[in-house]
Amino acid sequence: MFKNMISMNTLAPKIKEAKLSFYLLNKNILTRAALITVLLLILVAIFALYIAPFPEHIFLGNDPANSLNPPSWKNLCGTDELGRDIFSRILYGTSISLRAAVTAVFFAVTIGSFLGAVAGSVGGWLDELIMRVTDIFLSFPPLLLSISIVALMGPSLNNATLAIVVSWWPWYTRLMRGQAISVKEKQFVKAAEAIGTSRMKIIFKHIVPNCISPIIIQASMDMGAVILSLAGLSFLGLGAQPPTPEWGLMVSTSKNYFMNAPWYSLFPGIAIFITVLSFNLLGDGMREILDPKTRKN
Amino acid sequence: MQKYFEIKNLIINYKTFEGTKEILNIDYLGIDKAETFGLVGESGSGKTVLALTLLKLLAVPPGEIASGEIWLDGENLLIKSESEMQKIRGNKISMIFQDPMSTLNPVFTVGYQMTQVIIKNQKLNKKDAEKKAIEMIGIVKLPDPERIMDKYPHELSGGQRQRIIIAIALSCGAEFLIADEPTRNLDVTIQAGILKLIHELQKEFGITVLFIANNLGLVSAICDRMGILREGKIIEQGTVDEVLRNPKTDYTKLLLKTVTPARKKDKQVTSTTSEVLLEVKELQKYFPVKSISKATKNLNVKAVDGVSFTLNKGEILGVVGESGCGKSTLVNTLLLLHKPTQGKVFFDGQDIFALNKHDLRKARKNVQIVFQDPFWSLNPRWLVKDIIGEPLKVHEKLTADEYLAAVKKLMTMVGLPPEGAFKYPHEFSGGQRQRIAIARALSVRPKMVVLDEPTSAIDVMSQAQVLEMLEELKKNLQLTYIMISHDLSVVNYMSDKIIVMYLGKIVEYGESDIVFNNPKHPYTKALFNAIPGLHTRNVSELAIIKGEVPSAINPPKGCRFHPRCNYCMEICKTKEPEAVTFEGRLVECHLYGEGN
Amino acid sequence: MSLIVLMGVVFITFVITRVVPSDPAAKWAGARATPQQVAAARIELGLDKPYPEQFANYVTNLVQGNLGYSLRTRNPVMNDLKVFIPATVELVLMATLLALVIGIPLGIYSAKHKNRIFDHVSRFFSIGAVSLPGFWIALALQLVFYSYLDFLPLGGRVSIETSLMGNIPNITGFLLFDSLITGNLVIFQDAFRHMILPMITIALYPIGLVARMTRSAMLEILGEDYITAERSYGLSERLILWVYALKNSLGPTSTVVTLSIGYTLMSTFLVESIFNWPGIGKYVSNSIIALDYPAIMGVTIFSALCYMALNLIADLIISLDPRVRL
C-alpha cells in the first residue's frame, strides 16, 4: 500500500520527463534510426549462431574449393581464402565486438568515475594524487598506450579489452571530477554538511547521483570509438587471433587478397562502419536530448 | 498624436515542446523624446525578452514575434531587414546589459572593443576612433582614459565595466537607450554612481531611456514615467507620482508594500530575554591565497578579521554589508562549515570549536541554515520527504511511520500540503521551495536558524508571506535568527539588532531602531543613503562612496574605510579605531572616539 | 608539474617493459639460443640488476637519447627512429593541416546555421568521418584510385622511376619541402601524388572530430552575453563570427589541434603499412609482428614525449588568453 503510493506519486514528473525525451527523440530522425539499428545489432549479436546461414564456417570449417567466391545468393558477402561464408562470420563478429566493447566501457566507466568522484568530492592530497596519475595516462596519444600494452602482454582479445580499459578510464575520471566539483559547490551539499550528514553519504547520495547523466552520455558516445579501437588493434594483429571472426582481423587478413577479391575487405569494413556510426549517432543524439541546455528551449 | 517611441499590440510567443506559450503581450507603450521611462517587473515577466525584441536580437526560434508594431522616430522596426537593423543598432538604439562581468568580450582590450564599434558605425579612421573612445571614457567619468584603453575587461571592477559599456552604447550618438537592470549585479554604493551617470547623460545628450528594473526604488529615483510589467502584460502605466502614490492594481500595491514593509509594532514585546545564546569573541577567518607566483605566496584573504558580538535568545540579528564584507564567511564559520583562524564562539555556553567530532555532530543540530537560492539548496534528485527528513535521519532514530508523520507535520507547519512529500522539488514554486528549505532547517528543532538572504530569490508575492511565516515560527518555536541580507528594508522589518560590516570588520553594531534611525559611522550613513527608496525622487539625493572596495588580502592601514571616507582625518590613516559605545550602539570610528 | 607527468610516463613505460610476461633476454639471444647465451644476454642487457637500478639506467639512457637496440633490425632504436620520423611527421602535419582547413570552417558554419540543413548534413558527415575505420578506408581508396581509376599510386613515398633518377634531395627529410626548395618539381609532384591517399585516410577522423568540437565551442561562445552585446552595437555578423568569436575560441581550438595531431599519429600506426609509407607507423607494425619490444617502447616514448610537448604548447597558447594571464 505504502509502496504503491510512492510509485503513484513519483510517476507524474517522470512521465513528463519521458514525454519530453520522446518528443526530442521523435524530432530527430537520425537518432531514431540509430537507436533501431543498435537494437537490431544487439539482436543479431544474441542470435548470430541461429541466423547465420553457415554456422560451421564461423570459426574453422574450410572449404578450399569455394575459396574467394564473389557474393552470390548462396554467400551474400562472398567467401574468404578458406572458402568460409563471410556473411556468417560477420554476423557472429557482431557479438564479439559488442561484448568486448561493452566490457571495456563498463570497466573504464566504473573505475574512472569512482576515482573521479572521490577526487572531486574529497579534494586535498587525494585529489592531487589521483589527478596526477590521470594526467600521466592522458599524456599518451590515443591508442598508443593500448598498442604497447597488448604488444607486450601478448596479443589476444582479452588483453586488447584490458588495454582499452587502461587507456580510457582517465577520461571518465576527469569528467566525473569536474562534475563532482561543480555539484559540491551547490547549496544542497552545504546544507547537508550543516546538518551533520556524514561525508560518505554526502558523496554517494548527494554528489554522485547528480553527476551521473553526463557520464552515461559520454559512455554511449564512447561505445563507437571503443569498437573502432578494438578493430584497429585486431587489424594490427594485437586483438582477436585467427580463426576468430573479428571484423578488424577479417579486414587485416583480407588485405592480401583485396585486389582480386574486394568484397572480402568491403563487407567486414561496412559492418564496422555501420555499428560505429549507429553508436556515435545515438550517443550524439542522446547528448542533445539529455543536455539541460537543449531541454530548456 | 504619435509619440517618439511606441509599441502597439506586440505579441511574442515561445515555442516549447508542450506548445506555444505567450510571453509578451503589450497593447500599448509610448515614450516621449528625452523622457526616462521605467519598466518594473519581476524576473520571468518578460523584461529581457522585450529589450532584445526592440533591437531585433531575440532568438527566433524558440521566440516568435506573432504580431505588433514597434515605432521609433516614425519608423517601424519590426519590418526592417537585418542589414537595416545593423545600421540602427548602435547609431540610433543602444542597450546596457544586466551583468557587466559578462557583457565585455574578455579577450579584447577595452580600447579595441570601443574603437571597433566607432569605426563601424561612424566610418572614422582608427586614429579618430581612438580619440573618440578616449573622449567617451572621460564622459563616463573614469580616471586616466588612455590607460583604461589598454586594459582587458577582467582588470576592471564591475562598476568600471558598466561605465565602459555605457560609453560604448553612447559612443555613436544613440538617441534611444535601453537599460536592462544595469545595476542588478552591482553593490549598492556603486549602483548609486551608475544611476547618477545615466541620469546626467540623459539630461546632457537629451536621449530617451527605457529603464528596466525589478525595483520600484530605482525607477522612482530616475524615471519620469513608469509602467508595471507582469506576466508579459503592462498592467499599469503613468507618471511615477501617479503610479506610486495612487496604485490602481493590487499587484502594484503589493510591490509597494514589499519595498517598505510596515515596521513590526510589537518589536520590543517579543520574547527577548537577556539570556545569551551566542557569543562570538574576536573571530578571525583567513583564507590562504591560491597562487603559484611567489609574490602572492603566503598571503591571506582576511575575510573575517576580529569580529565580536553577542546574541540573546529569541532575538533576530541582521547582518548587512556589501559583497566581500565577510558576512557569508562569518555565517559559514558559525555553522562550523570551516574552522576559524582564531577566536572563540560560545553557543549556549559551550565553546563550539573545542568540541570533538561526535559532540560537534550533535551540536550541528542546534544551528541550521536556510539558503538564499531555493533552486540549488534542495537536491533535485531527492523526494521532498527525504529532503525535509534528512536531518532527522542523521540525528534521530525513527521508524518509517514516525518519520513520515514527522515530515508531514513539518510540512503542515510551514504551510505546505503534506501530499507534496512524494514530489520532487522542481514541481514547487520558488516560494514553496523556500518553505521546504525552512521545514528541513526546523526538522531537528534547532535553537538558532541562519537566514541567508531568505527572500531575495523568490517572487514578490511570496516574499511577504515567507517573512510573516518566519516571524510566526520564531514565536512558536522560541527560535533565534541571524539574518543576512543586502535588502535593508527586509532587515529593518525583521531584526532587533543589526551589524554593519565592512571589509571583514564590524563598523557599527546595535539595536536596529537606533542604528537605522540615526546611523553614525560614515560607511553606515553612506550605505543607507545609497539605496534609492520610494521617497527618493532624484538621484542627487543618493550618497556615493568614492572608489571601490579594496582587496581583503591587503586591507588599508588604520581604519579600513579611510580611503573612501569623506570625514577622513590623519589619525584614521594610521590607527585602527576601537569599538566605542556612542548613543546606544557600538561604532568603530575615530569620529566618536574619546574627546569627541 | 609537467615534470611529474613526464616522470610518470617514463615510469609507466618502464613498468610495461619489465612486468611483461615475456623475457626480452631470450628474444635478444635469438630463437635457438642456449640457456647460457640467454643468461649472457641478460647480463648484457642489464636485466640481472635490481629494479631500482634498472630504472635508473633506463632513465639515464633515455636522457642520453638511448632507447636500446631493436631486436629486429639490430640497430639502436634511436637510429631507426631518425630514419623513419621525418616521413611520419610530414604525413601527420599535412593531414592535420587538411583536417583543420576543412574541420574548423565546417564547425563554424554548422554553429552559425544551427539546426538548418547545412548543420544536419555537416553533423552527419562529421559523425560518419569518426565512424570510419581508417585501415579499411585505406584499402577502399587504393582499390578505387589505383586499381579501378589508375589515377594515383598504390603506396610508397615516391615511385620507383623517380627514385631511380637518383638525387632525391634530403635536407630536412620532409620530401615535399626539400624538393620544393631545391626546385625539383618532378619529384615534388610525384611525392605529392603519393601523399594524397594516405593524407586523406588519416585526415578523415580528425576532420570529424575538429568539426564537432569547433561546432560546440562556437555554439557556447555565440550564446555568451558579450556576443549579444556586440550585436546590439550594430557590428556585422561577419565581424562577430570571424574576429570576435574566433579569438574567444583560441583555447578550445588549440585543444582541438593537439587532439587532432594525436589522432593522426594514431592513424599512422594503422595505415602506414598499407600505403607502404616508410614512417614510424610502418616501423611499429613490423615491430609488432616481430614482437620487437624495444622498438615498440621506443616509439611509445617518443610519441608520448611529442604529444606532451604539444599539450604544453597548447597550454601556453591558452595562457595567452588575458583572463588567464595575470
Side-chain angles (χ1 to χ4, degrees), chain A residues 132 136 139 142-144 148 151-152 221 228 232 235-236 238 258-259 262 265-266 269 272-273 276-277 280 284, chain C residues 1 8-9 12 16 20 123 128 130-132 135-136 142-143 212 266 269-270 274 288 293 297 300 303 307:
Chain A
R132 278 313 134 250
I136 291 167
S139 56
L143 199 68
L144 185 71
S148 33
L152 296 167
M221 292 185 59
L228 208 55
F235 178 81
L236 284 173
L238 292 169
F258 86 96
M259 288 296 168
S265 312
L266 188 67
I272 300 175
F273 177 61
V276 176
L277 183 68
N280 280 341
D284 199 63
Chain C
M1 196 47 59
V9 169
I12 288 180
I16 296 173
V20 288
R123 273 175 75 198
V130 297
S131 309
L132 280 169
F135 51 87
W136 177 70
Q142 281 182 336
L143 196 69
R212 288 171 78 186
M266 168 189 105
F269 296 135
L270 296 164
I274 300 175
I288 288 172
Y293 306 120
M297 287 329 292
T300 304
S303 316
Y307 195 58

Side-chain angles (χ1 to χ4, degrees), chain A residues 28 30 128 132 135-145 147-149 151-155 168 171 221 225 228 231-233 235-238 247-248 251 254-255 258-259 262 265-270 272-273 276-277 280-281 284-285 287-288 293-294 297, chain C residues 1 4-5 8-9 12-13 16-17 20-22 114-115 120 123-124 127-128 130-133 135-136 139 142-143 146-148 154 205 212 215-216 220 259 262-263 265-266 269-270 273-274 284-285 288-289 291 293 296-297 299-301 303-304 307-308 311:
Chain A
N28 196 333
L30 276 181
E128 275 295 308
R132 278 313 134 250
D135 282 348
I136 291 167
F137 277 87
L138 286 177
S139 56
F140 287 94
L143 199 68
L144 185 71
L145 190 62
I147 289 181
S148 33
I149 290 173
L152 296 167
M153 284 183 40
W168 282 75
W171 294 100
M221 292 185 59
L228 208 55
L233 287 173
F235 178 81
L236 284 173
L238 292 169
W247 297 334
V251 177
S254 78
K255 69 176 186 246
F258 86 96
M259 288 296 168
S265 312
L266 188 67
F267 291 108
I270 288 179
I272 300 175
F273 177 61
V276 176
L277 183 68
N280 280 341
L281 282 174
D284 199 63
R287 195 197 48 194
E288 201 90 329
K293 275 188 216 142
T294 328
N297 294 335
Chain C
M1 196 47 59
I4 300 175
V5 176
V9 169
I12 288 180
T13 52
I16 296 173
T17 47
V20 288
S22 68
K114 193 189 169 209
N115 286 338
H120 290 306
R123 273 175 75 198
F124 186 72
I127 294 178
V130 297
S131 309
L132 280 169
F135 51 87
W136 177 70
L139 293 175
Q142 281 182 336
L143 196 69
Y146 171 76
S147 190
Y148 294 164
L154 182 63
Y205 194 95
R212 288 171 78 186
R215 176 181 182 268
S216 66
E220 194 163 306
L259 257 184
Y263 278 102
L265 200 61
M266 168 189 105
F269 296 135
L270 296 164
S273 60
I274 300 175
V284 165
S285 17
I288 288 172
I289 295 164
L291 297 176
Y293 306 120
I296 296 171
M297 287 329 292
V299 173
T300 304
I301 291 171
S303 316
Y307 195 58
M308 271 182 72
N311 275 316

Side-chain angles (χ1 to χ4, degrees), chain A residues 20 23 188 195 205-206 210, chain B residues 17 376 379 382 390 395:
Chain A
L20 176 55
Y23 165 80
F188 64 84
I195 283 161
K205 289 247 161 148
H206 281 292
N210 283 292
Chain B
F17 80 99
W376 278 117
N379 189 335
W382 282 25
E390 191 185 6
H395 294 288

Side-chain angles (χ1 to χ4, degrees), chain A residues 113-166:
Chain A
S113 37
F114 175 78
L115 289 174
V118 171
S121 22
V122 176
W125 65 269
L126 199 60
D127 179 29
E128 275 295 308
L129 181 75
I130 293 175
M131 289 327 287
R132 278 313 134 250
V133 174
T134 308
D135 282 348
I136 291 167
F137 277 87
L138 286 177
S139 56
F140 287 94
L143 199 68
L144 185 71
L145 190 62
S146 311
I147 289 181
S148 33
I149 290 173
V150 204
L152 296 167
M153 284 183 40
S156 80
L157 188 58
N158 284 344
N159 285 351
T161 311
L162 179 70
I164 296 277
V165 174
V166 171

Side-chain angles (χ1 to χ4, degrees), chain C residues 60-79:
Chain C
T60 332
N61 283 336
L62 268 187
V63 172
Q64 292 165 352
N66 180 356
L67 295 170
Y69 285 82
S70 160
L71 304 176
R72 184 168 58 93
T73 64
R74 299 260 156 184
N75 292 327
V77 173
M78 199 62 191
N79 292 6

